């Protein structure tokens, strides 16, 4: 199918590279008008030029910047149908070794930004006639690990927040849906650099051993899931999680 997102306007955070860029690319190919944001201005400009889409530099933890981005979209384009809260950071450390500053930073970027994005996007999405909010969580929000306490916590919170937002939307209007996506280890530039930096540790092999399908996810795997949730094909799906983990959470 082509133009599955015809006449839709979307916003993706953290889209200068990685999953965000791949999602923007596939949504544009399916007819959507996309706005991408990122805190990394140089990479953001390069990606926007490559994809021929609008862009705005943005720190997703700042309330005033969210207000400004949504205001500009309403003024320049007039509507918003798709919101992908993709921006996020990692955070290693078990509960004893994680300091409070790191804990707050991970939750600010991974969780507070989702709250802010949904809060300030919803009025315009409702006014636009229909909408799909897609919050990028992680399989770590479902299956915990001993050494990523802040990351696990933030991604699990995104999963439950998404359900709360979905119920709010269903009660206040049936025009906007909200779901979360939970990817497994994905071959982004960040993960690949980690693998390449220490070949003697066999990092890729260790990651793959945890996945029943015996391979890392590719960015397009996650982008296809986001495309489905952004499209009208998922119009009766809200308040749930789409797990893209090669079977890991089934073990």
């Amino acid at each position: 199918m082509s133009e599955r997102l015809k006449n839709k306007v979307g916003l993706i955070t953290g889209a200068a590279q990685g999953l965000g860029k791949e999602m923007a690319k596939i949504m544009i190919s399916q007819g959507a008008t996309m706005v991408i944001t990122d805190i990394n201005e140089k990479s953001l400009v390069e990606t926007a030029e490559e994809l021929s889409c609008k862009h705005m530099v943005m720190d997703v933890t700042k309330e005033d910047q969210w207000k400004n981005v949504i205001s500009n979209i309403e003024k320049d384009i007039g509507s918003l149908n798709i919101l992908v809260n993709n921006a996020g950071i990692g955070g290693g450390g078990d509960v004893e070794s994680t300091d409070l500053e790191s804990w707050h930073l991970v939750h600010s970027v991974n969780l507070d930004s989702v709250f802010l994005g949904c809060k300030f996007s919803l009025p315009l999405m409702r006014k636009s006639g229909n909408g799909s909010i897609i919050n990028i969580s992680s399989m770590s929000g479902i299956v915990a690990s001993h050494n990523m306490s802040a990351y696990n916590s933030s991604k699990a919170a995104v999963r439950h927040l998404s359900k709360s937002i979905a119920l709010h939307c269903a009660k206040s209007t049936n025009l906007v849906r909200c779901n979360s996506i939970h990817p497994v280890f994905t071959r982004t530039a960040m993960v690949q650099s980690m693998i390449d930096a220490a070949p003697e540790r066999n990092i890729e092999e260790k990651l793959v051993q945890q996945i029943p399908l015996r391979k890392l996810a590719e960015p397009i795997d996650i982008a296809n899931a986001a495309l489905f949730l952004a499209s009208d094909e998922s119009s009766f799906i809200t308040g749930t999680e789409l797990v893209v983990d090669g079977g890991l959470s089934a073990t």
Side-chain angles (χ1 to χ4, degrees):
M1 290 180 286
S2 61
E3 296 198 318
R4 293 160 69 184
L5 303 182
K6 185 178 180 180
N7 298 324
K8 293 186 184 294
V9 177
L11 167 63
I12 302 181
T13 65
Q17 58 188 352
L19 296 183
K21 179 179 178 179
E22 194 72 22
M23 288 186 283
K25 182 178 179 180
I26 197 170
M27 289 184 186
I28 290 169
S29 76
Q30 292 298 314
T33 298
M34 299 303 299
V35 178
I36 61 173
T37 73
D38 204 287
I39 199 169
N40 185 332
E41 183 173 6
K42 181 176 183 295
S43 295
L44 179 66
V45 171
E46 291 172 354
T47 296
E49 290 177 350
E50 178 184 339
L51 301 182
S52 298
C53 66
K54 296 178 181 294
H55 70 279
M56 283 181 262
V57 178
M58 179 188 191
D59 180 343
V60 292
T61 68
K62 305 299 184 184
E63 183 175 3
D64 60 331
Q65 293 190 29
W66 268 108
K67 291 178 180 178
N68 182 58
V69 166
I70 299 303
S71 175
N72 283 338
I73 290 175
E74 183 169 20
K75 183 177 69 173
D76 296 342
I77 307 176
S79 61
L80 181 64
N81 311 104
I82 303 161
L83 168 65
V84 184
N85 283 304
N86 170 70
I89 59 173
D94 58 47
V95 66
E96 290 185 276
S97 63
T98 301
D99 60 70
L100 188 59
E101 183 179 2
S102 298
W103 174 270
H104 284 319
L105 176 62
V106 171
H107 283 80
S108 179
V109 177
N110 292 357
L111 177 60
D112 294 354
S113 68
V114 175
F115 160 72
L116 292 171
C118 294
K119 176 180 177 64
F120 293 115
S121 297
L122 265 173
L124 179 55
M125 295 182 80
R126 189 179 292 119
K127 189 188 302 184
S128 301
N130 67 82
S132 175
I133 297 172
I134 304 164
N135 296 326
I136 306 301
S137 179
S138 168
M139 63 89 188
S140 296
I142 299 175
V143 179
S145 60
H146 73 281
N147 63 344
M148 298 183 70
S149 57
Y151 186 77
N152 289 169
S153 171
S154 67
K155 291 300 187 179
V158 168
R159 175 176 179 257
H160 220 60
L161 175 60
S162 299
K163 294 177 182 293
S164 177
I165 292 167
L167 294 175
H168 165 73
C169 291
K171 186 170 183 176
S172 60
T173 171
N174 62 2
L175 299 176
V176 182
R177 301 174 291 111
C178 182
N179 297 284
S180 57
I181 295 180
H182 299 256
V184 75
F185 317 115
T186 304
R187 198 185 298 280
T188 59
M190 182 174 66
V191 170
Q192 190 62 52
S193 65
M194 180 180 69
I195 292 170
D196 295 340
E200 72 283 356
R201 293 176 57 194
N202 298 316
I203 293 174
E204 180 170 357
E205 182 181 340
K206 291 174 182 177
L207 295 178
V208 167
Q209 285 175 352
Q210 301 177 56
I211 305 172
L213 286 184
R214 301 183 301 282
K215 60 182 179 179
L216 299 181
E218 299 293 337
I220 189 62
D221 296 320
I222 317 308
N224 279 327
L227 173 61
F228 169 67
L229 289 177
S231 74
D232 293 337
E233 297 155 32
S234 59
S235 61
F236 205 64
I237 299 175
T238 194
T240 192
E241 54 280 318
L242 181 47
V243 179
V244 190
D245 72 349
L248 187 151
S249 59
T251 59

